[in-house]
């Protein structure tokens, strides 16, 4: 999202005050690090997914929370949304270039954590 608040303010050379409650960067960090935002970004790291595929990949998320999380991430310019005019409409989501940049450290963190965990015993 080229015209986002983040890009306009950065282009104007104004520094962000992430400790101020009105800072747009703070809102974006809140969306990315929300309970479900992290999982959406990690789920989309490898390929684009339809809404129901995302819902199935993130166990425990409700349709309502997934829709709200996606709406915020699309508005922030981290995720793109494409609607195919079929009946019912097929909606596909993927990461923007900005979303990939932001999601990369989250994926690395996820990978580091899972590599350090002891293998789960089955049974």
């Amino acid at each position: 999202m080229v015209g986002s608040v983040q890009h306009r303010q950065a282009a104007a050379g104004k520094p962000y005050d992430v400790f101020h409650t009105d800072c747009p960067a703070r809102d974006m960090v809140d969306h990315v690090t929300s309970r479900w935002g992290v999982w959406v970004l990690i789920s989309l790291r490898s390929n684009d997914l339809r809404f129901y595929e995302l819902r199935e990949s993130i166990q425990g998320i409700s349709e309502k929370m997934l829709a709200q999380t996606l709406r915020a991430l699309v508005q922030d310019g981290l995720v793109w949304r494409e609607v195919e005019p079929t009946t019912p409409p097929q909606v596909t989501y993927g990461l923007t270039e900005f979303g990939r940049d932001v999601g990369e450290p989250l994926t690395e963190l996820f990978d580091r954590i899972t590599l350090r965990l002891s293998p789960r015993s089955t049974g």
Side-chain angles (χ1 to χ4, degrees):
M1 180 178 236
V2 176
S4 70
V5 172
Q6 182 255 344
H7 290 146
R8 281 195 313 265
Q9 193 168 14
K14 296 178 184 175
Y16 289 105
D17 182 3
V18 295
F19 295 104
H20 192 279
T21 57
D22 292 337
C23 179
R26 185 174 177 165
D27 288 340
M28 189 175 294
V29 168
D30 287 345
H31 296 156
V32 169
T33 61
S34 70
R35 178 175 181 184
W36 301 113
V38 170
W39 300 116
V40 168
L41 293 175
I42 290 173
S43 292
L44 292 172
R45 73 183 181 260
S46 301
N47 49 335
D48 308 334
L49 297 172
R50 291 194 176 139
F51 184 88
Y52 77 90
E53 292 171 323
L54 260 173
R55 189 184 69 226
E56 289 177 5
S57 73
I58 306 171
Q59 294 186 4
I61 192 169
S62 69
E63 284 190 27
K64 178 182 176 183
M65 285 310 304
L66 179 56
Q68 287 177 354
T69 301
L70 285 167
R71 194 174 306 118
L73 295 174
V74 167
Q75 185 176 354
D76 289 340
L78 299 167
V79 172
W80 56 260
R81 178 181 189 264
E82 181 180 29
V83 180
E84 295 178 39
T86 59
T87 305
Q90 294 180 348
V91 183
T92 305
Y93 295 90
L95 293 178
T96 63
E97 184 179 334
F98 184 37
R100 290 192 188 288
D101 280 350
V102 170
E104 188 175 324
L106 298 174
T107 298
E108 289 175 12
L109 176 65
F110 175 78
D111 290 345
R112 286 181 187 192
I113 290 170
T114 56
L115 285 172
R116 295 283 184 149
L117 290 175
S118 301
R120 293 180 108 183
S121 60
T122 56

